Amino acid sequence: MTLRVRGLRKEFGGRTVLDGLDLDVAPGEFTAVLGANGSGKSTALRCVVGLETPTAGEIEVDGRAAMVFQKIHLVGRRSALDNVCAGALARLPLRRSLSPLLFPRTLREEAMACLDRVGLADRAAEPASRLSGGQQQRVAIARALCQRSTLLLADEPVSALDPKAAEQVVALLAALALDGLAVVAVLHQPSLARHHAGRIVGLLDGRLDLDAPASAVTDHDVDRLYAPDRAAVPAE
Amino acid sequence: MTLIREPGPAPAPPGRRLPSATVWLTLAVLAAAHVLAWQGTGFSLTALAQGWRGMASFLGDALPPDFDWETVLQPSLKAAAVTLYIGLLGTTLSIPFALVLAVLAARVTAYGTTSYQAARSLLSFLRSVPDVVFALIFVTAVGLGPFAGVLALVVHNTGVMGKLWAEAMEESDPGPREAMRVLGASRLQTALHAVLPTVLPQLVGLLLYRFDVNVRASLVLGLVGAGGIGFLINQSIKLFRFDQMATHILVVLVLVIAVDQLSALIRRRIAP
């Protein structure tokens, strides 16, 4: 397993956001995560990459976890290639990591291959801020590849994109899973999830409520996750 | 909850909320502070009205300004250039010190509690000692002249610009920093690859603002013997040559407007 989560709990000031989450993700598996706002999807991903400290539970990652965000978080003034190179910062010797001018040639070549994988080799020299939203998200994915990650977590990667760009990015995630990467993506578009992901998991009040092959997930399953009168059910 | 409903009048809006007791109390304290300040500074409109003759004779002596090229205008322009040089070096030479201290004193890039507190204390100290006091100290070391002025500005400006830069870094978009954390970058790498490139336009804008302020500050430093056109203004006042003083002040006006326009132009060009 690339990712193994057991009994993950997270509380923010007494409010329970994750209430004992279990999840395994295998290499090459594209898992889409559905769930209403506040169901704990983002928090779960942030716990896996260490942006949040779990209150309790175990997280094991075989290899390296990378993450892409809804707001993308590239450095707009830097070129697409320099942004991708940043994925390698943790393994560079300090003195070669201080400025993009010092990045080794081998790294620039590796980053170029990552940009090529997401179809943006021809935009390598452009400042990231000049690219469209979909292209920026693909640069962020290339940065995750340059990190040599085995697990790619995507927190609403397409929520800010137009439908065509969203489709492209999700299709890219599916293609990367075919290459052997384990992909876990929070999506707010059940149709995209059903079309591209191999597996859909649903979170409800910080717990796994749905876990099925994408082809087996029905409209009813999805509606239940987003049921508007859910809040009327007293929380335990 | 249903969003489709029968047509009909909407419910009445909630009543207006009056300002709370805290707001009234704050206003009362502010009013009391103004009464004390009025008395404490001897603020008196009658004194101002009765003393108009003094101001009128002063202005009479100052006008028309003495524009004699050899004795007034040429020395004035030369001294204005020196004032500009003091402001320029005082700003640029403080960049490396301000940058290091700002990185150490910004919560998002700081290395540890000790160096963070030390950097913040040092910046506060440099900021709270007026540049004029630093100038007087450096005059005792390197003598009267522009060099003492440059040193004073470098030291004081390090404190002010370091603080402004640290604040700009703290207010930078946390997103790129989070991305750096996820990919395992060190604090230094995060500062160099996420924080600094993101806030660069703000840092340059603040640098230009400080240049603007420092050129004006170097005028005042001239008054305490650090050279430049402030020195000439001081001299002409002491010799009761208010017509020459008027010329120097007009030259200062042109200099300040030129610097202001230049920095505004550059800031527009680098706007993010």
Side-chain angles (χ1 to χ4, degrees):
Chain A
M1 284 297 150
T2 305
L3 173 65
R4 190 172 164 279
V5 176
R6 285 292 174 276
L8 181 61
R9 284 182 62 83
K10 176 68 185 174
E11 290 170 14
F12 288 106
R15 195 169 58 88
T16 303
V17 177
L18 288 172
D19 190 12
L21 179 72
D22 299 324
L23 185 67
D24 288 329
V25 180
E29 193 173 37
F30 180 6
T31 305
V33 184
L34 301 182
N37 290 330
S39 61
K41 311 178 299 291
S42 289
T43 306
L45 263 52
R46 294 172 64 84
C47 284
V48 172
V49 292
L51 286 175
E52 303 288 351
T53 311
T55 308
E58 280 174 41
I59 297 170
E60 282 171 31
V61 177
D62 183 16
R64 229 175 259 105
M67 183 146 165
V68 296
F69 303 83
Q70 179 185 353
K71 289 185 178 163
I72 305 174
H73 300 338
L74 296 176
V75 176
R77 309 175 70 78
R78 294 240 170 121
S79 72
L81 187 71
D82 286 344
N83 270 289
V84 176
C85 285
L89 282 176
R91 63 175 187 271
L92 277 184
L94 181 67
R95 64 193 172 78
R96 300 305 297 266
S97 77
L98 297 179
S99 158
L101 296 170
L102 301 171
F103 288 159
R105 165 182 271 279
T106 48
L107 171 59
R108 293 171 61 81
E109 285 167 358
E110 182 179 345
M112 199 63 191
C114 297
L115 266 181
D116 194 37
R117 181 69 190 85
V118 302
L120 288 172
D122 56 330
R123 311 300 296 272
E126 295 238 11
S129 59
R130 286 227 212 110
L131 303 177
S132 71
Q135 288 169 336
Q136 289 189 27
Q137 193 57 281
R138 280 147 65 198
V139 171
I141 292 170
R143 177 169 70 184
L145 296 178
C146 194
Q147 209 182 323
R148 297 181 185 163
S149 48
T150 51
L151 171 65
L152 175 57
L153 305 171
D155 190 6
E156 298 195 28
V158 300
S159 297
L161 304 182
D162 69 55
K164 189 152 179 265
E167 171 90 31
Q168 270 183 341
V169 167
V170 177
L172 173 64
L173 292 176
L176 294 174
L178 282 179
D179 290 353
L181 192 66
V183 179
V184 179
V186 173
L187 297 174
H188 269 316
Q189 298 90 334
S191 60
L192 279 178
R194 279 198 280 196
H195 193 246
H196 292 282
R199 170 188 175 198
I200 292 180
V201 298
L203 260 65
L204 189 64
D205 295 332
R207 281 186 175 177
L208 211 60
D209 186 74
L210 167 73
D211 185 354
S215 53
V217 173
T218 65
D219 286 346
H220 175 74
D221 293 331
V222 173
D223 284 348
R224 200 164 41 82
L225 290 173
Y226 295 95
D229 53 353
R230 193 172 51 78
V233 180
E236 51 192 297
Chain B
M1 184 180 66
T2 170
L3 295 177
I4 303 167
R5 53 186 217 100
E6 295 293 312
R16 289 184 185 79
R17 268 213 346 229
L18 292 173
S20 66
T22 326
V23 173
W24 290 117
L25 188 67
T26 311
L27 288 175
V29 170
L30 270 176
H34 277 78
V35 170
L36 287 176
W38 189 281
Q39 291 167 348
T41 56
F43 200 101
S44 160
L45 289 175
T46 36
L48 181 65
Q50 284 163 358
W52 70 273
R53 266 173 221 287
M55 288 196 295
S57 79
F58 178 84
L59 285 176
D61 288 345
L63 297 173
D66 180 356
F67 282 123
D68 186 75
W69 174 254
E70 287 287 318
T71 58
V72 187
L73 194 54
Q74 194 191 25
S76 184
L77 291 174
K78 277 188 178 160
V82 171
T83 293
L84 187 66
Y85 300 153
I86 296 174
L88 182 69
L89 288 182
T91 311
T92 52
L93 296 184
S94 64
I95 291 175
F97 308 108
L99 190 61
V100 170
L101 286 172
V103 168
L104 292 175
R107 237 168 292 125
V108 299
T109 50
Y111 261 68
T113 329
T114 320
S115 64
Y116 168 78
Q117 293 295 352
R120 285 195 89 87
S121 313
L122 182 56
L123 286 176
S124 304
F125 170 71
L126 298 178
R127 210 166 53 245
S128 53
V129 178
D131 41 16
V132 177
V133 174
F134 279 125
L136 290 171
I137 295 171
F138 283 119
V139 161
T140 64
V142 300
L144 288 170
F147 183 43
V150 171
L151 293 176
L153 280 186
V154 168
V155 175
H156 181 72
N157 191 57
T158 297
V160 180
M161 203 159 71
K163 160 85 170 168
L164 292 173
W165 280 1
E167 276 174 1
M169 291 179 198
E170 287 185 347
E171 283 161 22
S172 69
D173 177 6
R177 294 200 302 267
E178 270 195 348
M180 289 292 143
R181 254 180 83 187
V182 172
L183 53 85
S186 67
R187 298 200 76 104
L188 178 63
Q189 288 173 333
T190 303
L192 293 173
H193 293 285
V195 181
L196 288 177
T198 312
V199 298
L200 193 65
Q202 285 93 312
L203 300 194
V204 176
L206 291 167
L207 178 76
L208 289 165
Y209 162 69
R210 287 307 302 172
F211 171 59
D212 193 357
V213 172
N214 283 337
V215 169
R216 282 180 277 125
S218 71
L219 278 169
V220 182
L221 297 185
L223 296 178
V224 299
I229 198 164
F231 181 69
L232 292 187
I233 293 176
N234 194 21
Q235 228 178 10
S236 54
I237 292 174
K238 280 183 178 156
L239 298 171
F240 297 103
R241 288 301 305 267
F242 297 123
D243 53 344
Q244 294 184 357
M245 179 205 71
T247 307
H248 299 320
I249 286 178
L250 285 174
V251 169
V252 166
L253 187 70
V254 172
L255 176 70
V256 168
I257 290 174
V259 168
D260 182 50
Q261 291 294 316
L262 180 72
S263 74
L265 180 79
I266 300 175
R267 261 180 285 186
R268 268 201 302 277
R269 291 293 297 271
I270 57 152

